[in-house]
């Protein structure tokens, strides 16, 4: 029943920060998906007879690749696969299932917040036994295998009915189709004060959650409406669709503008939230106020003790380097460690496993804790609901009181998407070349204190990750960060991060872009963004 199929390598299967992402037609090339899956298995050791989790975000081509992955797992010697019903399994839920059932690892089929459809994005990534994304050492090994692959193994087991919960035998392997929501919902109930949140809804608290026709829909519907008693209709766009309803499942102020407009309107609910394609990102909007992801992680950390799962306090906070320093001030006040890592959730894994950090966050709307080894959009929403219920305050009150206590970090990210790769690389190369000459110079009346290319020294395993983003720090604490993103599928995305710290609470109500105007102009002066890209403005501002 097992066939060994001859194949040839594809040169473009180098995983990015979250696995291999390409357009669907690329994955539909002969043996393209099979090559990458086999390369994952070839880079692993010791999985014979063990269990593998398989699931995805429901995007186009998800179901087809799940069938391939099941058949290849059987051929390669796995003893069991656990598959989310209908192929659905959010990224944080997959991490939890891996950890709860102590499986060998998992394959997650997703391109996260990128669009879905016949000509849009698809992705495959491997998560290790701790539930977290494969570390760089493993993704490098997988890439090496893709360059030398000559055959893959697949079992002729026929299609598996992944829509029916239960267990079947196929190719000498057990295939268990699981409820994708149950284990995750149980975990959330153990972490948060569901009684307090339920009471808040009972007494009239109003919320809007937009699942963006992505994977979080079934989870939000079960937890928010069925378990917490939010009114029917609280969750919108909750049915996962292969093309996400023709929309871009990225919960930011561009692609979820309808939610923002509703939350700023005269009859706004008390709280608004959204999640992305695979359920690991979040958008938080209070009535009349948008909470930046950087602020959100700081505010969640400052108030986490109000939730049962974190009542004993935090061991530390970790943030990606481009994320604002708001969390640093919380860590300082709490007397706990703060860790600055490269972008990519995999860098938090060692800190979480070592018990050095409890809450982690990224400016790209990813927030999570040590409950899983992925960022978790719905977790962040539930912790916000817990905080609001216990404090009996609005989101706007929580935010303004936090700024009054810690100061405000004005912060924005400007994305220049699908820039020609050559142009993007030229910009970065030129900027790197002049880093040494920048300190001491003045731009727009601001003196540059230091400039470097961020390198991370992992305090757990001693590994070093270089070239993780260019930092230009000004006297007084302001900074500009520039890096190329590894999560797109065409061209390059240049991300520019601008931050200014303002301790004076009388200046906490400025428009963010106005407060950052001189720094935005300085970023272009230093990096030549307009001249290199030919763009007069960013594609997206968050």
């Amino acid at each position: 029943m097992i066939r060994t199929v001859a194949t040839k390598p594809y040169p473009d299967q180098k995983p990015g920060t979250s696995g291999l992402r390409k357009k669907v037609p690329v994955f539909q090339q002969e043996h393209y998906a099979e090559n990458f899956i086999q390369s994952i298995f070839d880079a692993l050791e010791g999985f014979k007879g063990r269990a593998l989790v398989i699931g995805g975000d429901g995007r186009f081509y998800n179901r087809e690749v799940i069938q391939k992955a099941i058949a290849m797992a059987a051929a390669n010697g796995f003893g069991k696969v656990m598959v989310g019903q209908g192929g659905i399994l959010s990224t944080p839920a997959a991490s939890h299932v891996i950890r709860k059932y102590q499986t060998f690892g998992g394959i997650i089929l997703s391109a996260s917040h990128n669009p879905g459809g016949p000509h849009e994005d698809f992705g495959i990534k491997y998560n290790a036994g701790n539930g977290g994304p494969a570390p760089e050492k493993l993704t490098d090994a997988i890439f090496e295998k893709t360059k030398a692959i000559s055959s893959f193994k697949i079992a002729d087991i026929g299609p598996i009915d992944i829509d029916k919960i239960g267990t079947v035998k196929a190719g000498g392997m057990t295939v268990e189709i699981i409820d994708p929501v149950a284990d995750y919902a149980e975990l959330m109930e153990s972490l948060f004060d569901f009684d307090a949140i339920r009471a808040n809804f009972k007494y009239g608290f109003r919320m809007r959650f937009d699942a963006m026709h992505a994977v979080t829909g079934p989870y939000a519907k079960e937890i928010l409406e069925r378990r917490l008693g939010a009114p029917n209709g609280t969750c919108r766009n909750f049915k996962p669709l292969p093309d996400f309803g023709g929309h871009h499942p990225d919960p930011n102020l561009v692609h979820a503008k309808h939610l923002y407009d509703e939350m700023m309107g005269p009859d706004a609910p008390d709280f608004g939230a959204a999640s992305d394609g695979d359920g690991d990102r979040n958008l938080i909007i209070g009535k009349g106020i948008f909470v930046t992801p950087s602020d959100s992680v700081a505010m969640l950390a400052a108030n986490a003790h109000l939730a049962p799962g974190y009542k004993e306090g935090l061991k530390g906070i970790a943030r990606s380097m481009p994320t604002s320093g708001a969390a640093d001030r919380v860590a300082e006040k709490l007397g706990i460690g703060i860790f600055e890592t490269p972008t990519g959730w995999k860098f938090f894994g060692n800190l979480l496993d070592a018990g050095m950090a409890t809450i982690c966050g990224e400016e790209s709307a990813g927030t999570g804790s040590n409950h899983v080894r992925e960022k978790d959009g719905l977790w962040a929403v539930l912790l916000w609901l817990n905080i609001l219920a216990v404090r009996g305050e609005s989101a706007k009150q929580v935010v303004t009181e936090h700024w009054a206590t810690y100061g405000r970090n004005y912060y924005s990210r400007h994305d220049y998407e699908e820039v020609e790769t050559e142009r993007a690389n030229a910009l970065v190369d030129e900027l790197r070349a002049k880093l040494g000459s920048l300190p001491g110079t003045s731009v727009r009346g601001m003196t540059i204190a230091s400039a470097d290319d961020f390198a991370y020294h992992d305090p757990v395993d001693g590994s070093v990750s270089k070239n993780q983003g260019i930092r230009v720090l000004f006297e007084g604490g302001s900074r500009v960060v520039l890096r190329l993103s590894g999560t797109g599928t065409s061209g390059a995305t240049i991300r520019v991060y601008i931050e200014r710290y303002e301790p004076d609470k009388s200046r906490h109500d400025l428009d963010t872009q106005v407060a950052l105007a001189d720094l935005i102009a300085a970023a272009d002066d230093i990096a030549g963004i307009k001249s290199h890209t030919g763009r007069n403005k960013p594609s997206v501002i968050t």
Side-chain angles (χ1 to χ4, degrees), residues 45-65:
E45 295 179 351
F47 59 78
K48 300 295 184 182
R50 298 286 304 280
L52 179 74
V53 173
I54 302 175
D57 60 13
R59 69 179 57 233
F60 187 88
Y61 208 45
N62 191 63
R63 297 174 74 94
E64 292 86 346
V65 177

Side-chain angles (χ1 to χ4, degrees), residues 282-451:
N282 68 85
L283 171 66
I284 302 296
I285 311 178
K287 185 175 184 177
I289 189 166
F290 162 62
V291 185
T292 71
S294 290
D295 272 351
S296 183
V297 66
M299 293 166 189
L300 292 177
N303 292 279
H305 63 280
L306 301 177
Y310 307 95
K311 64 182 179 182
E312 302 301 326
L314 309 180
K315 295 178 180 177
I317 306 171
R319 64 167 177 84
S320 64
M321 180 273 288
T323 302
S324 90
D328 302 34
R329 292 175 174 85
V330 174
E332 182 181 6
K333 185 172 182 179
L334 294 177
I336 58 177
I338 181 75
F339 301 93
E340 185 178 37
T341 75
T343 295
W345 203 260
K346 59 190 176 185
F347 291 103
F348 294 139
N350 278 356
L351 297 170
L352 293 169
D353 286 344
M356 299 171 70
T358 305
I359 284 183
C360 306
E362 295 181 328
E363 52 70 37
S364 54
T367 321
S369 81
N370 58 353
H371 69 290
V372 291
R373 293 298 181 268
E374 288 278 6
K375 51 198 172 195
D376 189 345
L378 194 51
W379 171 91
V381 173
L382 290 168
L383 182 49
W384 264 103
L385 290 175
N386 192 139
I387 292 165
L388 298 179
V390 174
R391 287 183 56 158
E393 296 177 328
S394 69
K396 192 168 189 175
Q397 287 174 302
V398 172
V399 170
T400 54
E401 288 177 21
H402 183 95
W403 289 341
T405 302
Y406 296 96
R408 180 175 181 182
N409 290 69
Y410 282 101
Y411 181 90
S412 185
R413 186 180 93 189
H414 290 198
D415 288 357
Y416 297 81
E417 296 178 338
E418 296 187 355
V419 177
E420 292 178 27
T421 303
E422 295 77 13
R423 286 187 169 205
N425 287 336
L427 183 156
V428 171
D429 290 343
E430 286 186 22
L431 184 54
R432 280 195 178 120
K434 64 180 183 181
L435 286 177
S437 64
L438 290 177
T441 62
S442 182
V443 183
R444 305 270 170 167
M446 300 174 291
T447 301
I448 297 175
S450 64

Side-chain angles (χ1 to χ4, degrees), residues 29 61 72 97 118 173 189-190 203 211 239 281 294 296 325 395 410 414 441 457 473 477 499 501 529:
Q29 295 177 94
Y61 208 45
M72 292 181 67
V97 171
M173 180 181 72
E189 201 155 0
S190 73
Y203 293 126
K239 183 179 180 181
R281 298 188 183 207
S294 290
S296 183
Y410 282 101
H414 290 198
T441 62
H457 298 260
L473 285 75
E499 178 179 6
Y501 176 64
I529 298 168

Side-chain angles (χ1 to χ4, degrees), residues 416 419 422-432 434 438 443-444 470 472 480 482 494 496 519-537:
Y416 297 81
V419 177
E422 295 77 13
R423 286 187 169 205
N425 287 336
L427 183 156
V428 171
D429 290 343
E430 286 186 22
L431 184 54
R432 280 195 178 120
K434 64 180 183 181
L438 290 177
V443 183
R444 305 270 170 167
I470 295 172
V472 179
V480 170
L482 187 147
I494 300 172
V496 185
L519 284 163
I520 293 169
D524 186 54
D525 291 346
I526 296 166
I529 298 168
K530 292 179 182 177
S531 60
H532 277 287
T533 65
R535 312 273 183 92
N536 288 320
K537 62 180 182 179

